[in-house]
Amino acid sequence: MTVPRPRPRLALALVEGGAEEPPPPEDPGPPPREALVLRYGELFLKKGNRRTFLDAVDRRVRRTVADLGAVVRPVHGRLLVEGVGHSPEALARLRLVFGIASLSPAWLLGREPGEWERLAVARARLAQKRGARSFAIDTERPDKQLPFRSQEVNERLGAAVVEAVGLKVDLGRPDWKFRLELGREAVFAWEGALPGAGGLPVGTAGRVLLLLSGGIDSPVAGHLCQKRGATLDAIYFDAFPYTGPGAREKAVELARILARAQDALTLHVVPFARVQERLRDGAPADHLVLLYRRMMLRLADRVAHRVGALALATGESLGQVASQTLENLACIEAVAERPVLRPLISFDKSETIVLARRLGTYDVSIRPHADCCSLFAAKHPVTRGRRETLERLEAQVDWQGPLDEAAAGVETVRVGEEER
Ligand code: ATP
Ligand code: MG
């Protein structure tokens, strides 16, 4: 394949001006194909296992859009998604894939500068209609073997836009920017970029067991663990028959949404009512929430051990409710054998809600249901629990039997395999 050296437009006009016959119109060829370009995020930090990280991102991207008919291929350090055009559905899904820094709708081009020029002019016309007065062309040339330099391409395309559309060059703060990437495997153009989800690809940080209630917070906490590469299992404590089957269904639905970011997700459903009854019968109502939580962590640890989870995670946020004072968090986690991750510790509720909406869990979370934690509990639980008090109360109650029964009765629900 030969690529002609670019000829400045003005020179062309001078030469051709004197010709007797007008030159034949250039064959515009097929219109450029639409594609999506994805840029990797923080992965440069991971020098040693960079390949593993890139493969994990590629795999997640493929899985996310496979059912839309997308074909994904890496090109000069980017990921190209073809076969879905600029589909808003594909973009919305890909914006949630961890390990992606940004995404752009793009146009795949051949290797003829004439084609690049035609697209630049067509897009410039559109930009002008939308109010742009100034522009810049920015070419990158990952393929250093191409027989011309980026600056020459910028000048050629820039001159064409000035001549055909009349926009003004402004390299500092252009109203519209047209970018070209000239790579060996692909040449493409793009205009703007959407922010990606950032983070690290799911599956690169080990397993975390998320305590998933039907509330707003815990699904978001799980999402943030996934953001740093963790693969989730989830555990739900079911107060059935005190809560209806709808409460459990909510947890299943939330788990299904979280499963989109990984291959599949196992939700462990613990029959918790017996444990709660036993505590109710033997301990004061204002300490019940803390006692429930300690039992939850004990049971979660057992499940974590079985599934190889290295940490637990909750949706707790400092000071958000009575059970979430520092004193109470300390009382709760005293019984855990693993680190308890609390990604929302510094979040305001409104910040959590923004993320919950983006993730798609919010509408499920706000469906009315009673959580097991309020069962039998005092309206005003202790805000400054003391570990010694809780240990004393636990010593007075025979909870080991009900705890073992709950552990033996755990059911697992696998979600995420049926879709995609
Ligand atoms: P959420 O919105 O996640 O329910 P919250 O602000 O309502 O959180 P709490 O109800 O005090 O707070 O629960 C704190 C955390 O304890 C939850 O984020 C969750 O991780 C865990 N948790 C509470 N109830 C359950 C449950 N029934 N099953 C599993 N985990 C639970
Ligand atoms: Mg809750």
Side-chain angles (χ1 to χ4, degrees), residues 60 63-64 202 212 223 226 231-232 234 252-267 359 361 413-420:
R60 292 261 50 88
R63 216 178 117 74
T64 303
V202 172
L212 178 66
H223 175 71
Q226 289 174 319
T231 307
L232 295 181
V252 172
E253 251 185 84
L254 293 170
R256 189 169 284 133
I257 294 174
L258 289 169
R260 285 181 198 154
Q262 52 188 65
D263 285 340
L265 191 154
T266 304
L267 174 68
L359 180 60
T361 52
V413 184
R414 187 99 170 137
V415 293
E417 258 162 357
E418 62 278 19
E419 304 104 10
R420 291 184 207 169

Side-chain angles (χ1 to χ4, degrees), residues 213-214 236-254 256 267 269 364 367-371 411 413:
S213 71
Y236 171 66
F237 296 89
D238 195 357
F240 187 83
Y242 295 100
T243 50
R248 169 182 172 151
E249 264 321 298
K250 268 178 78 173
V252 172
E253 251 185 84
L254 293 170
R256 189 169 284 133
L267 174 68
V269 180
V364 179
R367 280 188 218 152
H369 86 303
D371 187 52
E411 284 175 50
V413 184

Side-chain angles (χ1 to χ4, degrees), residues 8-19 163:
R9 270 263 168 189
L10 282 177
L12 258 182
L14 283 178
V15 173
E16 287 166 2
E163 187 182 286

Side-chain angles (χ1 to χ4, degrees), residues 211-213 215-218 235 237 293 314-315 320 324 371-372:
L211 279 77
L212 178 66
S213 71
I216 295 170
D217 300 336
S218 43
I235 185 167
F237 296 89
R293 283 291 152 70
T314 76
Q320 189 184 90
Q324 296 173 14
D371 187 52
C372 69

